[in-house]
Amino acid sequence: MKIRRVLALALVGTMAFSANAFAEGETTDITMWTYPVGNWGDAATVDSLLASFNEVHPEINVKVEYLDYTNGDDQVNTAIEGGQAPDIIFEGPERLVANWGAKGLMVDLADLWTDEAKEAIYDSVEAACQNNEGVFYEYPLCMTAHTMAINRDVFEAADALQYLDEETRTWTTEGFTNAVKAVLENGQDPVGAVYCSGQGGDQGTRALVNNLYGGTFTNEEHTAYTLDSEENVKALELLAGMEGINFDASIAGGDEIQLFCNGTLAMAFCWNIAQEKNNAEILEFDVLPMAFPSETGEPKLCGGIWGFGIFDNGDEAKIEAAKTFIDFMANDETMAAESVKASTYWPVKDLGNIYEGDDLMTEYATFIQYMGDYYQVVGGWAEARTAWWNMLQQIGTGTDVATAVADFQTAANTAAGQ
């Protein structure tokens, strides 16, 4: 999906929700629960953002609770069942749109999605924040594109850098296979691992398979899974037969990252800017982040989108206060950039180079242009993720690729209601 960059409408003016919603002198208390998206999981950072908000809106008090990805979903679901859902939730479309929105628990944010907002926000992001009927359950703030990475030192020693384009950070499928062969012959074994002990980091293995020969994971309507295409089967067969690439059922994405960082692996499929920052102190080689290889050299990367949703708790004053908060954080001319920087990712609209002077962030910004379809909103998503790593395990133990893919299709599309 093409990303639209609009300079003239990069900053959308804030909307005066509070003007009609709050009587003079009254205050409204709301709650916000946030997953650990960059420093939005850090209390000191969020307190600073709230202080800026309350300088302009002292009539709204925001109480924050911090979630993690281990127990966060359970906490939210328990709160929902008990009638105590937060007013605002900060996360991504797979939860806000495909889960809670699909269950009718979220507020329609159509009034935040003005014509100006739709013009300013990138197309791929806008599409991900609404359901198939065009109802918006998320107002986005930040995004990232997931990449892979290589050990540049090892590739240089193996004369394998010739098979990739360091300037664009792209390579072809042929270049990828040639590079793996060169690195393997130079003594690095294994070169990479298709990790599959669980779903952790599965965006990397999905992107690897889909990119190699131009396959897709779902249809355009996000109603069915399409792994059984000729392109995807061909990609899985290529990986299963490649010397130097192991299907490893003992590790997940986080384990692969550590094996890459300590030099055991020469490439990582589970990578993004956060991984390089988090492991900066232990890395003893030059990391070269790369797009996933594709037959044409034109990648389509999986990405993350994060933003705000509002649970419909039946209190109009709280809903309007929540909208005021979201509008200020995401659209205020000064505040939007600070809110995005707190995420340690990139804005969903053109705010200029908010990381000017930060070479690492500028380097990784290269990959935003390669952002592909955000398909993580299809039905049966949780079941499909489980079916994915189960399928990779089957292939790793010698099951025929077409048979394993057929098993995935049955499980995933049954869960999607197809």
Short mmCIF file of all heavy atoms in Angstrom, two decimals, residues 202-243:
data_model
loop_
_atom_site.label_atom_id
_atom_site.label_comp_id
_atom_site.label_asym_id
_atom_site.label_seq_id
_atom_site.Cartn_x
_atom_site.Cartn_y
_atom_site.Cartn_z
N ASP A 202 7.08 -13.44 15.56
CA ASP A 202 6.61 -14.08 14.33
C ASP A 202 6.45 -13.11 13.16
O ASP A 202 6.39 -13.54 12.01
CB ASP A 202 5.31 -14.85 14.57
CG ASP A 202 4.20 -13.99 15.17
OD1 ASP A 202 4.43 -12.82 15.49
OD2 ASP A 202 3.09 -14.53 15.34
N GLN A 203 6.43 -11.80 13.44
CA GLN A 203 6.36 -10.86 12.32
C GLN A 203 7.59 -10.99 11.41
O GLN A 203 7.51 -10.73 10.21
CB GLN A 203 6.23 -9.41 12.83
CG GLN A 203 7.48 -8.81 13.45
CD GLN A 203 7.69 -9.21 14.90
OE1 GLN A 203 6.84 -9.87 15.49
NE2 GLN A 203 8.81 -8.80 15.48
N GLY A 204 8.72 -11.41 11.98
CA GLY A 204 9.94 -11.55 11.19
C GLY A 204 9.88 -12.73 10.25
O GLY A 204 10.21 -12.62 9.06
N THR A 205 9.45 -13.90 10.74
CA THR A 205 9.40 -15.07 9.87
C THR A 205 8.29 -14.93 8.83
O THR A 205 8.43 -15.41 7.70
CB THR A 205 9.21 -16.35 10.70
OG1 THR A 205 8.11 -16.20 11.61
CG2 THR A 205 10.49 -16.66 11.48
N ARG A 206 7.19 -14.28 9.19
CA ARG A 206 6.13 -14.06 8.19
C ARG A 206 6.64 -13.16 7.07
O ARG A 206 6.41 -13.42 5.88
CB ARG A 206 4.89 -13.43 8.84
CG ARG A 206 4.16 -14.32 9.81
CD ARG A 206 2.77 -13.77 10.11
NE ARG A 206 2.79 -12.37 10.51
CZ ARG A 206 2.86 -11.94 11.76
NH1 ARG A 206 2.95 -12.82 12.76
NH2 ARG A 206 2.85 -10.66 12.04
N ALA A 207 7.33 -12.08 7.44
CA ALA A 207 7.84 -11.15 6.43
C ALA A 207 8.88 -11.82 5.54
O ALA A 207 8.94 -11.56 4.33
CB ALA A 207 8.44 -9.92 7.11
N LEU A 208 9.71 -12.67 6.13
CA LEU A 208 10.71 -13.38 5.34
C LEU A 208 10.04 -14.24 4.28
O LEU A 208 10.37 -14.18 3.09
CB LEU A 208 11.56 -14.26 6.27
CG LEU A 208 12.58 -15.17 5.58
CD1 LEU A 208 13.64 -14.36 4.85
CD2 LEU A 208 13.23 -16.12 6.60
N VAL A 209 9.05 -15.04 4.68
CA VAL A 209 8.38 -15.94 3.75
C VAL A 209 7.61 -15.16 2.69
O VAL A 209 7.71 -15.44 1.48
CB VAL A 209 7.44 -16.89 4.52
CG1 VAL A 209 6.55 -17.68 3.55
CG2 VAL A 209 8.25 -17.84 5.39
N ASN A 210 6.84 -14.16 3.11
CA ASN A 210 6.01 -13.43 2.14
C ASN A 210 6.83 -12.64 1.13
O ASN A 210 6.43 -12.50 -0.03
CB ASN A 210 5.06 -12.48 2.88
CG ASN A 210 3.97 -13.19 3.65
OD1 ASN A 210 3.40 -12.65 4.58
ND2 ASN A 210 3.65 -14.42 3.27
N ASN A 211 7.97 -12.13 1.55
CA ASN A 211 8.76 -11.29 0.65
C ASN A 211 9.55 -12.08 -0.39
O ASN A 211 9.74 -11.61 -1.51
CB ASN A 211 9.72 -10.40 1.45
CG ASN A 211 9.09 -9.08 1.84
OD1 ASN A 211 9.04 -8.14 1.07
ND2 ASN A 211 8.59 -9.03 3.08
N LEU A 212 10.00 -13.27 -0.06
CA LEU A 212 10.93 -13.98 -0.93
C LEU A 212 10.44 -14.10 -2.37
O LEU A 212 11.20 -13.89 -3.32
CB LEU A 212 11.22 -15.37 -0.36
CG LEU A 212 12.22 -15.39 0.81
CD1 LEU A 212 12.25 -16.77 1.48
CD2 LEU A 212 13.62 -14.99 0.36
N TYR A 213 9.14 -14.40 -2.54
CA TYR A 213 8.60 -14.52 -3.90
C TYR A 213 7.32 -13.72 -4.11
O TYR A 213 6.56 -13.99 -5.03
CB TYR A 213 8.39 -15.99 -4.25
CG TYR A 213 9.69 -16.76 -4.39
CD1 TYR A 213 10.07 -17.69 -3.43
CD2 TYR A 213 10.55 -16.53 -5.46
CE1 TYR A 213 11.28 -18.37 -3.53
CE2 TYR A 213 11.76 -17.20 -5.57
CZ TYR A 213 12.12 -18.12 -4.61
OH TYR A 213 13.32 -18.79 -4.73
N GLY A 214 7.08 -12.74 -3.22
CA GLY A 214 5.94 -11.84 -3.42
C GLY A 214 4.61 -12.39 -2.97
O GLY A 214 3.56 -11.98 -3.48
N GLY A 215 4.61 -13.29 -1.99
CA GLY A 215 3.36 -13.82 -1.47
C GLY A 215 2.70 -12.85 -0.50
O GLY A 215 3.26 -11.81 -0.14
N THR A 216 1.49 -13.18 -0.07
CA THR A 216 0.78 -12.38 0.92
C THR A 216 0.33 -13.29 2.05
O THR A 216 0.22 -14.51 1.89
CB THR A 216 -0.44 -11.67 0.33
OG1 THR A 216 -1.36 -12.66 -0.18
CG2 THR A 216 -0.04 -10.73 -0.80
N PHE A 217 0.03 -12.69 3.19
CA PHE A 217 -0.42 -13.47 4.33
C PHE A 217 -1.95 -13.54 4.39
O PHE A 217 -2.52 -14.52 4.86
CB PHE A 217 0.13 -12.87 5.62
CG PHE A 217 0.10 -13.82 6.79
CD1 PHE A 217 0.91 -14.94 6.81
CD2 PHE A 217 -0.73 -13.60 7.87
CE1 PHE A 217 0.90 -15.83 7.88
CE2 PHE A 217 -0.76 -14.47 8.95
CZ PHE A 217 0.06 -15.59 8.95
N THR A 218 -2.60 -12.46 3.92
CA THR A 218 -4.06 -12.44 3.88
C THR A 218 -4.51 -11.83 2.56
O THR A 218 -3.70 -11.28 1.80
CB THR A 218 -4.66 -11.59 5.03
OG1 THR A 218 -4.47 -10.20 4.75
CG2 THR A 218 -4.03 -11.93 6.36
N ASN A 219 -5.80 -11.89 2.29
CA ASN A 219 -6.33 -11.19 1.13
C ASN A 219 -6.42 -9.69 1.41
O ASN A 219 -6.22 -9.25 2.54
CB ASN A 219 -7.68 -11.76 0.70
CG ASN A 219 -8.74 -11.66 1.81
OD1 ASN A 219 -8.55 -10.99 2.83
ND2 ASN A 219 -9.86 -12.34 1.61
N GLU A 220 -6.72 -8.91 0.38
CA GLU A 220 -6.75 -7.46 0.54
C GLU A 220 -7.83 -7.01 1.50
O GLU A 220 -7.69 -5.98 2.17
CB GLU A 220 -6.96 -6.79 -0.83
CG GLU A 220 -5.77 -6.89 -1.76
CD GLU A 220 -5.97 -6.12 -3.04
OE1 GLU A 220 -6.99 -5.40 -3.15
OE2 GLU A 220 -5.12 -6.21 -3.94
N GLU A 221 -8.91 -7.77 1.57
CA GLU A 221 -10.03 -7.39 2.44
C GLU A 221 -9.79 -7.78 3.90
O GLU A 221 -10.61 -7.45 4.75
CB GLU A 221 -11.32 -8.07 1.94
CG GLU A 221 -11.74 -7.65 0.55
CD GLU A 221 -10.93 -8.33 -0.56
OE1 GLU A 221 -10.33 -9.41 -0.29
OE2 GLU A 221 -10.89 -7.80 -1.68
N HIS A 222 -8.70 -8.49 4.17
CA HIS A 222 -8.39 -8.95 5.52
C HIS A 222 -9.49 -9.83 6.09
O HIS A 222 -9.83 -9.75 7.27
CB HIS A 222 -8.13 -7.77 6.46
CG HIS A 222 -7.00 -6.90 6.02
ND1 HIS A 222 -6.97 -5.54 6.27
CD2 HIS A 222 -5.87 -7.18 5.32
CE1 HIS A 222 -5.87 -5.03 5.75
NE2 HIS A 222 -5.18 -6.00 5.18
N THR A 223 -10.01 -10.72 5.23
CA THR A 223 -11.05 -11.64 5.68
C THR A 223 -10.61 -13.09 5.64
O THR A 223 -11.31 -13.96 6.18
CB THR A 223 -12.32 -11.49 4.81
OG1 THR A 223 -11.96 -11.74 3.44
CG2 THR A 223 -12.91 -10.09 4.94
N ALA A 224 -9.48 -13.38 4.98
CA ALA A 224 -9.03 -14.77 4.85
C ALA A 224 -7.52 -14.82 4.73
O ALA A 224 -6.88 -13.85 4.28
CB ALA A 224 -9.69 -15.43 3.64
N TYR A 225 -6.94 -15.95 5.13
CA TYR A 225 -5.50 -16.17 5.05
C TYR A 225 -5.15 -16.81 3.70
O TYR A 225 -5.89 -17.64 3.18
CB TYR A 225 -5.03 -17.03 6.22
CG TYR A 225 -5.23 -16.34 7.55
CD1 TYR A 225 -6.41 -16.51 8.27
CD2 TYR A 225 -4.27 -15.49 8.06
CE1 TYR A 225 -6.62 -15.84 9.47
CE2 TYR A 225 -4.46 -14.82 9.26
CZ TYR A 225 -5.64 -14.99 9.96
OH TYR A 225 -5.85 -14.33 11.14
N THR A 226 -4.01 -16.39 3.16
CA THR A 226 -3.63 -16.80 1.80
C THR A 226 -2.25 -17.43 1.75
O THR A 226 -1.52 -17.29 0.77
CB THR A 226 -3.68 -15.58 0.86
OG1 THR A 226 -2.82 -14.54 1.38
CG2 THR A 226 -5.09 -15.04 0.72
N LEU A 227 -1.88 -18.14 2.80
CA LEU A 227 -0.53 -18.70 2.85
C LEU A 227 -0.33 -19.80 1.80
O LEU A 227 0.80 -20.06 1.40
CB LEU A 227 -0.24 -19.26 4.24
CG LEU A 227 1.22 -19.71 4.43
CD1 LEU A 227 2.16 -18.51 4.44
CD2 LEU A 227 1.39 -20.55 5.68
N ASP A 228 -1.41 -20.40 1.33
CA ASP A 228 -1.27 -21.53 0.42
C ASP A 228 -1.03 -21.13 -1.03
O ASP A 228 -1.25 -21.93 -1.94
CB ASP A 228 -2.49 -22.45 0.51
CG ASP A 228 -3.79 -21.74 0.13
OD1 ASP A 228 -3.79 -20.50 0.07
OD2 ASP A 228 -4.80 -22.45 -0.09
N SER A 229 -0.57 -19.90 -1.24
CA SER A 229 -0.27 -19.47 -2.61
C SER A 229 1.00 -20.15 -3.10
O SER A 229 1.85 -20.60 -2.31
CB SER A 229 -0.09 -17.96 -2.67
OG SER A 229 1.09 -17.57 -2.00
N GLU A 230 1.15 -20.20 -4.41
CA GLU A 230 2.34 -20.78 -5.01
C GLU A 230 3.60 -20.07 -4.53
O GLU A 230 4.63 -20.70 -4.28
CB GLU A 230 2.23 -20.69 -6.53
CG GLU A 230 3.42 -21.23 -7.29
CD GLU A 230 3.28 -21.08 -8.79
OE1 GLU A 230 2.15 -20.85 -9.26
OE2 GLU A 230 4.30 -21.18 -9.49
N GLU A 231 3.51 -18.73 -4.38
CA GLU A 231 4.67 -17.94 -3.97
C GLU A 231 5.13 -18.29 -2.56
O GLU A 231 6.33 -18.42 -2.29
CB GLU A 231 4.34 -16.44 -4.04
CG GLU A 231 4.06 -15.92 -5.43
CD GLU A 231 2.63 -16.13 -5.89
OE1 GLU A 231 1.83 -16.74 -5.13
OE2 GLU A 231 2.29 -15.69 -7.01
N ASN A 232 4.18 -18.44 -1.64
CA ASN A 232 4.54 -18.75 -0.26
C ASN A 232 5.08 -20.17 -0.11
O ASN A 232 6.04 -20.41 0.64
CB ASN A 232 3.34 -18.55 0.66
CG ASN A 232 3.01 -17.09 0.86
OD1 ASN A 232 3.89 -16.23 0.89
ND2 ASN A 232 1.72 -16.79 1.00
N VAL A 233 4.47 -21.11 -0.79
CA VAL A 233 4.95 -22.49 -0.74
C VAL A 233 6.37 -22.56 -1.29
O VAL A 233 7.25 -23.23 -0.71
CB VAL A 233 4.01 -23.43 -1.52
CG1 VAL A 233 4.62 -24.82 -1.66
CG2 VAL A 233 2.65 -23.51 -0.83
N LYS A 234 6.62 -21.85 -2.39
CA LYS A 234 7.95 -21.83 -2.98
C LYS A 234 8.97 -21.24 -2.01
O LYS A 234 10.10 -21.74 -1.88
CB LYS A 234 7.93 -21.01 -4.27
CG LYS A 234 9.23 -21.00 -5.05
CD LYS A 234 9.06 -20.20 -6.34
CE LYS A 234 10.37 -20.13 -7.14
NZ LYS A 234 10.21 -19.33 -8.40
N ALA A 235 8.58 -20.18 -1.28
CA ALA A 235 9.48 -19.55 -0.31
C ALA A 235 9.82 -20.50 0.83
O ALA A 235 10.97 -20.62 1.25
CB ALA A 235 8.85 -18.27 0.23
N LEU A 236 8.83 -21.19 1.35
CA LEU A 236 9.06 -22.13 2.45
C LEU A 236 9.92 -23.30 2.00
O LEU A 236 10.77 -23.79 2.74
CB LEU A 236 7.73 -22.62 3.00
CG LEU A 236 6.98 -21.61 3.89
CD1 LEU A 236 5.52 -21.99 4.04
CD2 LEU A 236 7.66 -21.49 5.26
N GLU A 237 9.71 -23.75 0.78
CA GLU A 237 10.54 -24.83 0.25
C GLU A 237 11.99 -24.38 0.09
O GLU A 237 12.92 -25.15 0.36
CB GLU A 237 9.97 -25.30 -1.09
CG GLU A 237 8.67 -26.08 -0.95
CD GLU A 237 8.05 -26.46 -2.28
OE1 GLU A 237 8.40 -25.82 -3.31
OE2 GLU A 237 7.20 -27.36 -2.30
N LEU A 238 12.17 -23.12 -0.33
CA LEU A 238 13.52 -22.58 -0.46
C LEU A 238 14.22 -22.59 0.90
O LEU A 238 15.35 -23.07 1.04
CB LEU A 238 13.49 -21.16 -1.02
CG LEU A 238 14.84 -20.43 -1.05
CD1 LEU A 238 15.76 -21.03 -2.11
CD2 LEU A 238 14.65 -18.93 -1.29
N LEU A 239 13.56 -22.07 1.91
CA LEU A 239 14.16 -21.98 3.24
C LEU A 239 14.43 -23.37 3.82
O LEU A 239 15.47 -23.60 4.44
CB LEU A 239 13.25 -21.19 4.17
CG LEU A 239 13.09 -19.70 3.86
CD1 LEU A 239 11.96 -19.09 4.67
CD2 LEU A 239 14.39 -18.95 4.11
N ALA A 240 13.49 -24.28 3.62
CA ALA A 240 13.65 -25.63 4.17
C ALA A 240 14.84 -26.35 3.56
O ALA A 240 15.46 -27.21 4.20
CB ALA A 240 12.38 -26.44 3.95
N GLY A 241 15.18 -25.98 2.33
CA GLY A 241 16.28 -26.65 1.65
C GLY A 241 17.61 -25.92 1.68
O GLY A 241 18.61 -26.41 1.15
N MET A 242 17.66 -24.76 2.34
CA MET A 242 18.87 -23.95 2.34
C MET A 242 19.85 -24.40 3.41
O MET A 242 19.52 -24.42 4.61
CB MET A 242 18.55 -22.46 2.57
CG MET A 242 18.01 -21.75 1.36
SD MET A 242 17.77 -19.97 1.69
CE MET A 242 19.49 -19.42 1.75
N GLU A 243 21.05 -24.72 3.02
CA GLU A 243 22.11 -24.96 4.00
C GLU A 243 22.47 -23.63 4.65
O GLU A 243 22.60 -22.61 3.98
CB GLU A 243 23.33 -25.57 3.32
CG GLU A 243 23.11 -26.97 2.79
CD GLU A 243 24.40 -27.58 2.26
OE1 GLU A 243 25.49 -27.18 2.74
OE2 GLU A 243 24.32 -28.44 1.37
#
